Amino acid sequence: MINKSMQDAMNDQINKELYSSYLYLSMAAYLEDKNLSGFAHWMRVQEAEEREHAMKLYDFIVERGGRVMLKAIDAPKTEWKSTLELAEEVAAHEALVTASIYALYELALKEKDYPAQIMLQWFITEQVEEEKNAAEIVSNLKLIEDRGTAVLMLDHRLAKRGGK
Ligand code: FEO
């Protein structure tokens, strides 16, 4: 059975994953409004993945005989100065999520919760991918700056991104 401190920390992480989903959905809406449907598609794929992350933690708590306790999700921002600023915020946000997963893993080590350690290794690997994808889009956007044709080409490429 999952212990109380691990359960509380995982419930907090569920909230962070659901906030990530809400933030990315807000970003998708902003991009849709700018007619950047490829970038919006990228954020919608991310948004769905964040809900999967929340549900992975949810299922783990249930399987271990714990209690899922949902909390209020903060309102995300709705405006960005540019697509680059938005992509930089995705990268910064993913770095925060990684730090939070590492803290959860450290707690699992301290509590000698071996099943949690194994489950969290999936998240550690996933975060490497998430950070890499965001960093790649930031660096592409920096390279092309505000050249419209290049932005549209990147938008077209992102429209083809599938989920993992
Ligand atoms: Fe659930 Fe993008 O980390």
Side-chain angles (χ1 to χ4, degrees), residues 134-153:
E136 189 182 298
I137 292 169
V138 168
S139 83
N140 284 348
L141 280 167
K142 277 185 176 160
L143 271 178
I144 62 187
E145 293 174 340
D146 275 335
R147 285 195 293 278
T149 321
V151 172
L152 284 176
M153 279 171 67

Side-chain angles (χ1 to χ4, degrees), residues 58-69:
Y58 179 113
D59 288 338
F60 182 81
I61 293 173
V62 171
E63 277 166 21
R64 303 283 311 287
R67 175 74 161 92
V68 171
M69 302 284 275

Side-chain angles (χ1 to χ4, degrees), residues 26-137:
S26 183
M27 288 174 166
Y30 164 88
L31 293 161
E32 237 120 29
D33 190 54
K34 303 281 172 222
N35 290 316
L36 290 168
S37 58
F39 281 97
H41 171 75
W42 165 49
M43 288 322 309
R44 286 172 77 144
V45 170
Q46 289 304 121
E47 181 274 326
E49 284 184 6
E50 298 306 342
R51 272 183 289 124
E52 282 172 22
H53 297 171
M55 289 313 294
K56 206 171 174 74
L57 293 157
Y58 179 113
D59 288 338
F60 182 81
I61 293 173
V62 171
E63 277 166 21
R64 303 283 311 287
R67 175 74 161 92
V68 171
M69 302 284 275
L70 298 179
K71 298 165 192 194
I73 303 168
D74 291 340
K77 66 189 265 195
T78 53
E79 292 296 330
W80 288 267
K81 285 198 203 87
S82 63
T83 312
L84 173 60
E85 185 192 64
L86 181 149
E88 284 175 332
E89 278 187 29
V90 173
H93 185 71
E94 287 301 330
L96 282 179
V97 174
T98 299
S100 174
I101 293 290
Y102 288 177
L104 208 48
Y105 191 78
E106 277 163 28
L107 181 66
L109 290 174
K110 183 171 149 278
E111 299 289 344
K112 296 190 175 8
D113 188 333
Y114 302 112
Q117 289 169 31
I118 292 166
M119 190 275 292
L120 288 168
Q121 280 166 14
W122 181 89
F123 278 88
I124 290 169
T125 308
E126 173 77 358
Q127 283 311 117
V128 172
E129 186 68 21
E130 300 260 281
E131 288 196 43
K132 178 180 140 290
N133 289 342
E136 189 182 298
I137 292 169

Side-chain angles (χ1 to χ4, degrees), residues 17-27 47 73-76:
E17 301 292 346
L18 290 175
Y19 172 74
S20 304
S21 163
Y22 217 30
L23 173 65
Y24 294 165
L25 191 58
S26 183
M27 288 174 166
E47 181 274 326
I73 303 168
D74 291 340

